[in-house]
Amino acid sequence: MEKEPIKNHQDLKVYQMAFDAAMKIFELSKKFPVEERYSLTDQIRRSSRSVCANLAEAWRKRRYEAAFVAKLNDSVRGACRRQAEAAETQTWIEFAVKCNYLDVELGRELYGIYNRILGGLVNMITDPSPWLMKR
């Protein structure tokens, strides 16, 4: 059986994982205390969404390998702050667990999902040719 061709960024498995994880974090963070609204809640939501946004932007730049890889790197490390958005999300997950806002097992599950997302992004960066537009 032949795989369906990838037509847009939403067809990418890594994007789907990142989007689903960001939505799960959004739902879970609704239960965080009000005093965390402008700190932990905001940070974990922003970093989780940023992974998806950078991946979507990278997909639109795949005509040029250097631009595509640079934008994928933004998903991994963050353009200005040189921090991994996915790894940053893992740090916020750790804080949420330590503050007892998230159950330990749920935190481990989310952390593992972000490890898989990071792995997928690194694979795309290491070998971008299958993802580039053919000229």
Side-chain angles (χ1 to χ4, degrees), residues 92-120:
W92 296 124
I93 291 167
E94 285 182 80
F95 275 110
V97 169
K98 288 288 186 184
C99 294
N100 294 314
Y101 305 151
L102 280 181
D103 174 71
V104 173
E105 286 306 312
L106 192 52
R108 283 187 184 134
E109 177 189 334
L110 286 168
Y111 201 93
I113 291 168
Y114 276 94
N115 275 339
R116 290 192 296 282
I117 291 166
L118 281 164

Side-chain angles (χ1 to χ4, degrees), residues 60-72:
R60 288 179 187 87
K61 294 183 177 195
R62 71 192 193 287
R63 179 179 307 255
Y64 306 102
E65 182 174 346
F68 178 66
V69 170
K71 203 63 201 169
L72 286 174

Side-chain angles (χ1 to χ4, degrees), residues 5-113:
I6 295 174
K7 295 176 184 153
N8 61 55
H9 66 277
Q10 293 155 323
D11 294 337
L12 295 167
K13 195 70 168 163
V14 69
Y15 177 86
Q16 293 167 6
M17 270 194 302
F19 189 88
D20 291 346
M23 290 307 299
K24 188 169 194 168
I25 284 171
F26 172 73
E27 289 301 323
L28 291 167
S29 66
K30 286 180 180 179
K31 297 177 183 141
F32 289 4
V34 175
E35 63 265 19
E36 292 287 5
R37 179 177 297 142
Y38 300 109
S39 52
L40 181 59
T41 304
D42 180 59
Q43 293 293 336
I44 198 168
R45 287 177 180 177
R46 183 201 47 74
S47 64
S48 66
R49 291 170 179 165
S50 184
V51 176
C52 299
N54 283 318
L55 187 51
E57 192 173 339
W59 187 254
R60 288 179 187 87
K61 294 183 177 195
R62 71 192 193 287
R63 179 179 307 255
Y64 306 102
E65 182 174 346
F68 178 66
V69 170
K71 203 63 201 169
L72 286 174
N73 273 307
D74 289 350
S75 296
V76 174
R77 21 172 226 254
C80 301
R81 297 175 303 121
R82 293 297 195 227
Q83 291 180 349
E85 295 294 348
E88 181 184 344
T89 302
Q90 288 178 314
T91 302
W92 296 124
I93 291 167
E94 285 182 80
F95 275 110
V97 169
K98 288 288 186 184
C99 294
N100 294 314
Y101 305 151
L102 280 181
D103 174 71
V104 173
E105 286 306 312
L106 192 52
R108 283 187 184 134
E109 177 189 334
L110 286 168
Y111 201 93
I113 291 168

Side-chain angles (χ1 to χ4, degrees), residues 119-135:
L121 291 169
V122 168
N123 286 339
M124 290 176 80
I125 290 166
T126 303
D127 184 18
S129 57
W131 312 107
L132 299 174
M133 294 176 83
K134 308 297 184 238
R135 292 187 195 195

